[in-house]
Amino acid sequence: MKHIYRIIISVLLLQSCATLYNSETTKVKIFVPENTSLVFDNDTLSLEKNYLTVFPKRSKDDLKFSLFNSETESDFSFKSRKSTYYYLNILTNYGIGMLIDANSNKRFTYKNVIHFELDTTTQNFVVSNSKISPFRQHDVFMYTSPLRAIDITSDPMLTLGVEYFILDDFSVSLEYGTIFTQRFRVNPTNELVENKGHSQRLEIKYYNGFNLTQNPRINEYLGLEARFISHQFTDDIQYLITDEDISYTRTEDFIVQKAVSVFNLKYGFNFPVGKRLYFDVYSGFGLRLKDIKNPNIFFDRNLHSYLDIGHHDYFGKSNLEAYQKNSNFNVSLGFKFGIKL
């Protein structure tokens, strides 16, 4: 009987995300002005970079520490909050893991980045929501979009872009992409045209007009994007031809000349990875306009019956001019890696 209880307890423990994945301590970065020291857990830490790091034990108790310099000293207290892993229990096994995590201090965490400044009037330390590394006029980034290079749902492309800040927190970016591999999902008998294509992206961004994340390390932005894609390639389809009493199937290679225009409103955030690398994550929505031509195709949807057979034929049908809509709702989601020059 004892073995059964042990097995049940072990299974429950494996369902509790916070208990399983969180350590007993957590990491908090505290950004402070120059010549500032911090007292935490009876230890005094001196500033080496532009921030100090403490490792408090997870607890429902407040995080407490003191900041001081040659002129002033201030005590601070920050409330604990539930860890993301604690709430992830809801998504697995009907939230059973929350029963275990409810008795564990590992369910708690603290704000992991805190930014302090000196009040110019009182000369006291105050919590600040200002960005630690805001973008300034004439800043320049080079970036690429890794997801575009492995995009199996569209046309994989290698991309390279430049983002230039014409004003503080206001940038313009230009990006170019080119086809570098054969198309997926198709294997036409004859290559009627060379598989080639390219894209251009123009985007304007306004940073830090809002602060949804409440994280001083993250630069948030709203962006307007216009992207233009052109691609030509050979595809193939299979359809049924009926001539009086005779019916037969035909597999035809045909040319696709595709032009796509995409316009999106985007929200994203840009945060540093090290000293010069930046990671840009975004999502948005907008409009996608398609223009597809099949200049040499024999297939006529009014005379012939398209054979909708399996996954391959679905994507072949999507490249037929007669089956296209002029405009579609578009959802944008992705990320970019950049380096600050």
Side-chain angles (χ1 to χ4, degrees), residues 261-264 285-289 327-330:
S261 300
V262 181
F263 304 93
N264 285 322
F285 62 91
L287 190 65
R288 176 182 291 262
L289 308 176
S327 62
N328 301 88
F329 178 75
N330 186 70

Side-chain angles (χ1 to χ4, degrees), residues 56-73:
K57 289 185 177 181
R58 298 179 186 273
S59 169
K60 65 179 180 180
D61 298 331
D62 295 349
L63 171 65
K64 297 180 180 181
F65 58 84
S66 300
L67 296 177
F68 69 91
N69 59 18
S70 59
E71 297 180 354
T72 186
E73 180 176 355

Side-chain angles (χ1 to χ4, degrees), residues 5 23 31 40 51 54 65 86 97-98 102 107 127 136 138 151 158 169 174 180-181 215 263 283 287 295 326:
Y5 288 142
S23 61
F31 289 81
F40 171 71
Y51 64 88
V54 298
F65 58 84
Y86 177 72
M98 298 183 87
R107 74 185 186 276
V127 177
R136 300 304 185 191
H138 306 312
D151 187 357
L158 291 177
D169 289 326
L174 297 172
F180 70 98
T181 184
N215 190 324
F263 304 93
S283 63
L287 190 65
N326 291 328

Side-chain angles (χ1 to χ4, degrees), residues 92-154:
T92 58
N93 296 300
Y94 308 103
I96 293 175
M98 298 183 87
L99 298 175
I100 300 297
D101 286 342
N103 296 315
S104 172
N105 281 334
K106 288 186 177 182
R107 74 185 186 276
F108 295 107
T109 189
Y110 300 100
K111 187 175 182 179
N112 59 3
V113 179
I114 307 174
H115 186 203
F116 288 96
E117 293 181 342
L118 278 173
D119 187 291
T120 55
T121 303
T122 64
Q123 291 301 308
N124 290 326
F125 293 103
V126 293
V127 177
S128 173
N129 286 325
S130 64
K131 301 303 179 180
I132 296 167
S133 301
F135 298 128
R136 300 304 185 191
Q137 187 178 20
H138 306 312
D139 282 350
V140 180
F141 289 89
M142 296 283 290
Y143 69 86
T144 187
S145 302
L147 288 180
R148 296 297 308 282
I150 57 174
D151 187 357
I152 63 174
T153 63
S154 183

